[in-house]
Amino acid sequence: MRASRLLSILMHLQAKGQVNAQQLAEHCQVSLRTIYRDMDALSGAGIPLYSERGAEGGYRLLGNHRTQLNGLSADEAQGLFMLGLSGQAAELGLGGVVAEAQLKLLAALPTGQRDSLAKMSDRFLLDAPGWFGEAETLPALVPLAEAVRRQRRLWLRYRSWKSQRERELCPLGLVQKGGQWYLVGQVGADIRTYRVSRILDFKVLATGFERPQDFNLAQYWQQSRQRLEQESYPDQALLRLSAQGHKLLRALFSPYQLARSQAQGEPDAQGWQQVSLPMGSVWHMASELARLGAEVEVLAPAALRKQLADTASKVLALYRPKDS
């Protein structure tokens, strides 16, 4: 296990440049004392390490020292090979790069591992868009990705829910969610998210920008997603569902709502049971519940019950036989 940890430390130093002992301890999930011993062992083995004391200090490899890896296990190689199976790299203009990297990986591996790796794309597939959805065609995606990589400012003309707006921003990252691409950009001190399909026009500017050192795209996206979900479902609806209504609820409502639903008591003799469910606007929730037909009764809030009753009355009026 120590040999694996020492190799992991070397790879971390190669990838990060300079890393302090605390960061290495967290990365390897060991104590600081263990890290100090490991660094002494690496230095004693002839690895050219440089250490610097102080708040801005840490460890780094001297010169252009690189550790060549030719001892990947079969599982590790397959894991790396699967990184290029999705179409995201191609959408970002990196399909050829990924394909070339896969060829190099195949060439570097022992013959016995090549056959199994060559079959990986026949066994695993990522189809990102949801059912009955179409993947977006986004001509702007490749130049936007280039602006992200090169750290070039962008000018956008963007269609929001209410109007068209213009923005100049620093592009920090691109995220694909549910088959849709989103651009994360910094405007002044704020970091905002823009759906790429709503970008009407853009220009990659010649000016660069400094990326915020404390910005983490994955962390930002997770927090942004959680905030959006909470804002989208701020209230609770109290429903009375039949057994068939329960099945329809599981089939038609979002995983977020279902995970936070709560049954109230036991079903009655006819199989009806009270359930609380997160809800957004009254109009939107009434539209969703209308799909359950007579298999649901709204108990609260009163505004939702009235909205659904009004909708049912209008539907009934449309289908009531006309007097001849």
Short mmCIF file of all heavy atoms in Angstrom, two decimals, residues 32-63:
data_model
loop_
_atom_site.label_atom_id
_atom_site.label_comp_id
_atom_site.label_asym_id
_atom_site.label_seq_id
_atom_site.Cartn_x
_atom_site.Cartn_y
_atom_site.Cartn_z
N LEU A 32 -0.15 13.83 8.58
CA LEU A 32 0.96 14.66 8.12
C LEU A 32 2.29 13.97 8.37
O LEU A 32 3.22 14.04 7.55
CB LEU A 32 0.93 16.01 8.85
CG LEU A 32 -0.05 17.05 8.31
CD1 LEU A 32 -0.10 18.26 9.25
CD2 LEU A 32 0.36 17.50 6.91
N ARG A 33 2.40 13.28 9.52
CA ARG A 33 3.65 12.59 9.84
C ARG A 33 3.97 11.54 8.78
O ARG A 33 5.14 11.38 8.38
CB ARG A 33 3.54 11.95 11.22
CG ARG A 33 4.81 11.23 11.66
CD ARG A 33 4.69 10.73 13.09
NE ARG A 33 4.57 11.84 14.03
CZ ARG A 33 4.47 11.69 15.34
NH1 ARG A 33 4.45 10.47 15.87
NH2 ARG A 33 4.36 12.73 16.13
N THR A 34 2.94 10.83 8.31
CA THR A 34 3.15 9.82 7.27
C THR A 34 3.63 10.47 5.98
O THR A 34 4.52 9.95 5.29
CB THR A 34 1.83 9.05 7.00
OG1 THR A 34 1.45 8.36 8.20
CG2 THR A 34 2.00 8.04 5.87
N ILE A 35 3.06 11.63 5.63
CA ILE A 35 3.48 12.34 4.42
C ILE A 35 4.94 12.76 4.52
O ILE A 35 5.72 12.63 3.56
CB ILE A 35 2.58 13.56 4.16
CG1 ILE A 35 1.18 13.11 3.75
CG2 ILE A 35 3.18 14.48 3.10
CD1 ILE A 35 1.13 12.33 2.45
N TYR A 36 5.35 13.26 5.69
CA TYR A 36 6.74 13.68 5.87
C TYR A 36 7.69 12.48 5.67
O TYR A 36 8.75 12.61 5.04
CB TYR A 36 6.95 14.29 7.25
CG TYR A 36 6.21 15.60 7.45
CD1 TYR A 36 5.61 15.91 8.67
CD2 TYR A 36 6.10 16.54 6.42
CE1 TYR A 36 4.93 17.11 8.86
CE2 TYR A 36 5.43 17.73 6.60
CZ TYR A 36 4.85 18.01 7.81
OH TYR A 36 4.17 19.20 7.99
N ARG A 37 7.31 11.32 6.21
CA ARG A 37 8.13 10.13 6.02
C ARG A 37 8.17 9.71 4.56
O ARG A 37 9.22 9.31 4.03
CB ARG A 37 7.60 8.98 6.89
CG ARG A 37 7.87 9.14 8.39
CD ARG A 37 7.74 7.80 9.11
NE ARG A 37 6.40 7.25 8.98
CZ ARG A 37 5.44 7.38 9.89
NH1 ARG A 37 5.69 8.06 11.01
NH2 ARG A 37 4.26 6.85 9.70
N ASP A 38 7.02 9.81 3.88
CA ASP A 38 6.97 9.43 2.47
C ASP A 38 7.84 10.35 1.62
O ASP A 38 8.53 9.90 0.69
CB ASP A 38 5.52 9.49 1.95
CG ASP A 38 4.67 8.34 2.48
OD1 ASP A 38 5.25 7.38 3.02
OD2 ASP A 38 3.43 8.41 2.34
N MET A 39 7.83 11.64 1.93
CA MET A 39 8.64 12.57 1.14
C MET A 39 10.13 12.31 1.36
O MET A 39 10.93 12.41 0.42
CB MET A 39 8.28 14.02 1.51
CG MET A 39 6.82 14.38 1.29
SD MET A 39 6.16 13.90 -0.32
CE MET A 39 6.96 15.10 -1.38
N ASP A 40 10.51 11.97 2.59
CA ASP A 40 11.90 11.59 2.85
C ASP A 40 12.28 10.34 2.06
O ASP A 40 13.39 10.24 1.51
CB ASP A 40 12.11 11.34 4.35
CG ASP A 40 12.07 12.63 5.16
OD1 ASP A 40 12.27 13.71 4.55
OD2 ASP A 40 11.83 12.56 6.38
N ALA A 41 11.35 9.38 1.98
CA ALA A 41 11.63 8.15 1.25
C ALA A 41 11.79 8.42 -0.24
O ALA A 41 12.68 7.86 -0.89
CB ALA A 41 10.50 7.14 1.48
N LEU A 42 10.95 9.29 -0.79
CA LEU A 42 11.06 9.62 -2.21
C LEU A 42 12.38 10.33 -2.51
O LEU A 42 13.05 10.04 -3.50
CB LEU A 42 9.88 10.50 -2.64
CG LEU A 42 8.52 9.81 -2.75
CD1 LEU A 42 7.41 10.83 -2.98
CD2 LEU A 42 8.52 8.79 -3.89
N SER A 43 12.74 11.24 -1.63
CA SER A 43 14.00 11.97 -1.81
C SER A 43 15.19 11.02 -1.72
O SER A 43 16.14 11.10 -2.51
CB SER A 43 14.12 13.08 -0.77
OG SER A 43 15.30 13.82 -0.95
N GLY A 44 15.11 10.09 -0.77
CA GLY A 44 16.19 9.12 -0.62
C GLY A 44 16.29 8.17 -1.79
O GLY A 44 17.36 7.61 -2.05
N ALA A 45 15.18 8.00 -2.52
CA ALA A 45 15.19 7.11 -3.68
C ALA A 45 15.67 7.83 -4.94
O ALA A 45 15.69 7.24 -6.02
CB ALA A 45 13.80 6.55 -3.92
N GLY A 46 16.07 9.09 -4.80
CA GLY A 46 16.62 9.82 -5.94
C GLY A 46 15.63 10.68 -6.70
O GLY A 46 15.97 11.25 -7.74
N ILE A 47 14.41 10.82 -6.19
CA ILE A 47 13.42 11.69 -6.85
C ILE A 47 13.80 13.14 -6.54
O ILE A 47 13.95 13.51 -5.37
CB ILE A 47 12.00 11.39 -6.34
CG1 ILE A 47 11.63 9.93 -6.60
CG2 ILE A 47 10.99 12.33 -7.01
CD1 ILE A 47 11.61 9.56 -8.06
N PRO A 48 13.98 13.99 -7.55
CA PRO A 48 14.43 15.37 -7.32
C PRO A 48 13.30 16.25 -6.76
O PRO A 48 12.58 16.90 -7.52
CB PRO A 48 14.87 15.83 -8.71
CG PRO A 48 14.04 15.02 -9.66
CD PRO A 48 13.83 13.69 -9.00
N LEU A 49 13.15 16.26 -5.45
CA LEU A 49 12.11 17.04 -4.79
C LEU A 49 12.68 18.34 -4.23
O LEU A 49 13.82 18.39 -3.78
CB LEU A 49 11.49 16.24 -3.64
CG LEU A 49 10.59 15.06 -4.00
CD1 LEU A 49 10.27 14.25 -2.76
CD2 LEU A 49 9.30 15.57 -4.64
N TYR A 50 11.87 19.38 -4.27
CA TYR A 50 12.24 20.66 -3.66
C TYR A 50 11.14 21.04 -2.69
O TYR A 50 9.95 20.98 -3.01
CB TYR A 50 12.40 21.75 -4.72
CG TYR A 50 12.67 23.12 -4.14
CD1 TYR A 50 13.93 23.47 -3.69
CD2 TYR A 50 11.64 24.05 -4.05
CE1 TYR A 50 14.17 24.73 -3.16
CE2 TYR A 50 11.87 25.31 -3.51
CZ TYR A 50 13.13 25.64 -3.07
OH TYR A 50 13.38 26.89 -2.53
N SER A 51 11.49 21.41 -1.47
CA SER A 51 10.50 21.82 -0.48
C SER A 51 10.77 23.25 -0.06
O SER A 51 11.92 23.69 0.04
CB SER A 51 10.54 20.90 0.75
OG SER A 51 11.80 20.98 1.38
N GLU A 52 9.68 23.98 0.18
CA GLU A 52 9.78 25.38 0.59
C GLU A 52 8.87 25.59 1.79
O GLU A 52 7.71 25.20 1.77
CB GLU A 52 9.36 26.29 -0.56
CG GLU A 52 9.55 27.78 -0.28
CD GLU A 52 9.25 28.63 -1.49
OE1 GLU A 52 9.18 28.08 -2.60
OE2 GLU A 52 9.07 29.85 -1.32
N ARG A 53 9.41 26.21 2.83
CA ARG A 53 8.64 26.45 4.05
C ARG A 53 7.74 27.68 3.88
O ARG A 53 7.91 28.47 2.97
CB ARG A 53 9.57 26.65 5.24
CG ARG A 53 10.44 25.43 5.57
CD ARG A 53 11.36 25.72 6.75
NE ARG A 53 12.18 24.58 7.08
CZ ARG A 53 11.81 23.61 7.90
NH1 ARG A 53 10.63 23.66 8.49
NH2 ARG A 53 12.62 22.59 8.15
N GLY A 54 6.81 27.84 4.83
CA GLY A 54 5.97 29.02 4.86
C GLY A 54 4.57 28.76 4.34
O GLY A 54 4.25 27.67 3.83
N ALA A 55 3.71 29.80 4.49
CA ALA A 55 2.31 29.66 4.11
C ALA A 55 2.14 29.37 2.62
O ALA A 55 1.20 28.69 2.21
CB ALA A 55 1.54 30.94 4.48
N GLU A 56 3.03 29.90 1.80
CA GLU A 56 2.94 29.69 0.35
C GLU A 56 3.85 28.57 -0.13
O GLU A 56 4.04 28.40 -1.33
CB GLU A 56 3.31 30.99 -0.38
CG GLU A 56 2.44 32.17 -0.02
CD GLU A 56 0.99 31.96 -0.40
OE1 GLU A 56 0.75 31.32 -1.44
OE2 GLU A 56 0.10 32.43 0.35
N GLY A 57 4.43 27.85 0.81
CA GLY A 57 5.38 26.81 0.46
C GLY A 57 4.73 25.49 0.10
O GLY A 57 3.52 25.38 -0.04
N GLY A 58 5.58 24.47 -0.04
CA GLY A 58 5.09 23.15 -0.38
C GLY A 58 6.17 22.34 -1.07
O GLY A 58 7.36 22.72 -1.06
N TYR A 59 5.78 21.23 -1.67
CA TYR A 59 6.69 20.35 -2.38
C TYR A 59 6.46 20.47 -3.88
O TYR A 59 5.33 20.66 -4.34
CB TYR A 59 6.47 18.89 -1.97
CG TYR A 59 6.78 18.59 -0.53
CD1 TYR A 59 5.76 18.55 0.43
CD2 TYR A 59 8.08 18.32 -0.12
CE1 TYR A 59 6.03 18.25 1.74
CE2 TYR A 59 8.36 18.01 1.20
CZ TYR A 59 7.33 18.00 2.13
OH TYR A 59 7.61 17.70 3.44
N ARG A 60 7.53 20.36 -4.65
CA ARG A 60 7.41 20.29 -6.09
C ARG A 60 8.60 19.50 -6.65
O ARG A 60 9.62 19.32 -5.99
CB ARG A 60 7.35 21.67 -6.73
CG ARG A 60 8.56 22.55 -6.51
CD ARG A 60 8.31 23.93 -7.14
NE ARG A 60 9.36 24.88 -6.81
CZ ARG A 60 10.50 25.02 -7.49
NH1 ARG A 60 10.73 24.22 -8.54
NH2 ARG A 60 11.39 25.91 -7.13
N LEU A 61 8.44 19.02 -7.89
CA LEU A 61 9.49 18.28 -8.57
C LEU A 61 10.42 19.26 -9.29
O LEU A 61 9.95 20.22 -9.92
CB LEU A 61 8.90 17.31 -9.58
CG LEU A 61 8.08 16.15 -8.99
CD1 LEU A 61 7.33 15.43 -10.09
CD2 LEU A 61 8.97 15.19 -8.23
N LEU A 62 11.70 19.04 -9.19
CA LEU A 62 12.67 19.92 -9.83
C LEU A 62 12.73 19.67 -11.33
O LEU A 62 12.57 18.54 -11.80
CB LEU A 62 14.06 19.71 -9.23
CG LEU A 62 14.27 20.25 -7.81
CD1 LEU A 62 15.66 19.86 -7.32
CD2 LEU A 62 14.11 21.76 -7.78
N GLY A 63 12.98 20.76 -12.06
CA GLY A 63 13.19 20.65 -13.51
C GLY A 63 11.99 20.07 -14.22
O GLY A 63 10.84 20.34 -13.89
#
